[in-house]
Amino acid sequence: MTTAQRSASHNSNSAYFAGADVGASRTKVVIIDAEGFMVGYHVDRSGTDFTATADHCLAEALAMANIEKDQILRTISTGYGRKNVSYAHDHRTEISCHGKGCFHYYPFAITIIDIGGQDNKIIKLDDTGRRTAFKMNRKCAAGTGAFLEEMSPRLDIPLSEMNDLAAASTDMVKLGSFCTVFSATEVLENIRRGKRVEDIVKGLFFSVISRIKEMDAFTEKVVMTGGVVAHNPYLVEMTQELINRPILVPVLPQFTGALGAALYARETHGD
């Protein structure tokens, strides 16, 4: 039975722990039981009131788990808005929580590629789960979910359709720039030249992968996480081809940071 698949059959004496990952784009909350199984979770846009969004996500996760708030013994928050979570007992960095959540699924040396809404992270863990290296792209939106969100209206297509369009491409348009602004100009130029939308979208996906690939070398088994991965599985297929190795994707890849935070809450309960 996997972490996200345990049925909800709880009683008032059970112990639960929560993790809240408040990102700049999305907020995720996970509830686990004492054995580390995920019993409730929810994601929503972070919006302009991080505290209210974190409260809402917790309420939805509690409803899914069919438990009461007072059954949660400890909560750890993480992410950009981790200090805005009113019910958190403590907080941890998103790097440590993403590592913790991924190692829970894959307890061996791994390279984690997390594609977020506003940044990309590459985290390397050894076979004990200790972080050995870390890199983050913070300077611009290139290679992130925001990059794809920006390109969606330029192509006049919903963001949700990008994955299937890229998969249908037969002649990828390779874009020359990683910059979001310059890429937008290239996209418009390719539209003017009559290039198929499918081929342009695949080119955008390739730009995302190329941006990540240039950040670091992938020496261990590779795990991909994040909302972009969750909604665009074809991006994983393209990355596998580019780096010539299989890629591991956790159950609910958008929730690994929140899961890691919940696991830290369980681990530190009673300290």
Side-chain angles (χ1 to χ4, degrees):
M1 186 182 298
T2 61
T3 300
Q5 296 173 325
R6 191 171 194 177
S7 61
S9 57
H10 317 304
N11 60 67
S12 59
N13 296 319
S14 298
Y16 299 95
F17 306 90
D21 179 5
V22 183
S25 177
R26 299 289 190 278
T27 293
K28 291 80 62 178
V29 169
V30 160
I31 298 171
I32 62 172
D33 64 15
E35 297 175 29
F37 288 98
M38 194 185 301
V39 296
Y41 52 87
H42 189 74
V43 58
D44 208 341
R45 285 186 175 273
S46 294
T48 57
D49 189 336
F50 289 172
T51 301
T53 303
D55 288 345
H56 169 71
C57 287
L58 176 65
E60 293 294 324
L62 286 167
M64 181 179 181
N66 192 28
I67 62 172
E68 300 298 325
K69 186 177 180 180
D70 61 8
Q71 289 180 254
I72 296 181
L73 302 184
R74 185 170 174 81
T75 300
I76 297 289
S77 62
T78 190
Y80 179 78
R82 59 184 175 272
K83 294 184 180 179
N84 297 86
V85 180
S86 61
Y87 49 87
H89 297 89
D90 201 356
H91 51 82
R92 294 287 182 104
T93 68
E94 56 197 289
I95 310 309
S96 59
C97 288
H98 277 285
K100 187 82 165 175
C102 287
F103 195 75
H104 179 72
Y105 290 108
Y106 308 111
F108 40 78
I110 51 176
T111 293
I112 302 164
I113 302 172
D114 180 73
I115 308 178
Q118 302 292 332
D119 58 44
N120 294 327
K121 294 176 278 292
I122 295 181
I123 308 164
K124 293 186 176 183
L125 307 178
D126 64 17
D127 58 6
T128 68
R130 183 181 65 89
R131 187 171 75 246
T132 59
F134 160 70
K135 289 188 178 180
M136 177 180 280
N137 167 35
R138 282 190 181 274
K139 293 184 179 179
C140 71
T144 68
F147 173 72
L148 296 178
E149 287 186 356
E150 173 70 21
M151 294 301 126
S152 172
R154 300 277 182 174
L155 291 167
D156 194 27
I157 56 172
L159 189 64
S160 60
E161 293 182 10
M162 279 191 159
N163 184 78
D164 290 343
L165 286 168
S169 170
T170 56
D171 186 19
M172 182 181 77
V173 173
K174 194 167 183 180
L175 303 174
S177 175
F178 288 140
C179 172
T180 303
V181 176
F182 293 155
S183 290
T185 301
E186 282 192 85
V187 164
L188 292 174
E189 177 62 18
N190 277 289
I191 292 172
R192 187 188 67 79
R193 291 165 55 196
K195 295 294 184 180
R196 296 170 68 237
V197 171
E198 295 92 326
D199 299 330
I200 298 173
V201 174
K202 186 170 182 178
L204 293 171
F205 275 29
F206 186 80
S207 291
V208 170
I209 300 164
S210 299
R211 182 67 170 175
I212 293 166
K213 189 173 183 291
E214 73 171 9
M215 289 173 65
D216 206 349
F218 307 133
T219 54
E220 298 85 12
K221 292 185 183 295
V222 178
V223 178
M224 288 186 74
T225 66
V228 175
V229 171
H231 297 294
N232 299 283
Y234 187 64
L235 196 69
V236 177
E237 290 184 37
M238 289 181 65
T239 307
Q240 288 181 148
E241 293 178 7
L242 188 64
I243 68 175
N244 195 31
R245 70 180 69 183
I247 288 176
L248 303 167
V249 179
V251 176
L252 300 175
Q254 194 170 8
F255 288 88
T256 52
L259 172 61
L263 291 168
Y264 272 123
R266 183 184 65 160
E267 188 177 280
T268 58
H269 174 60
D271 286 359

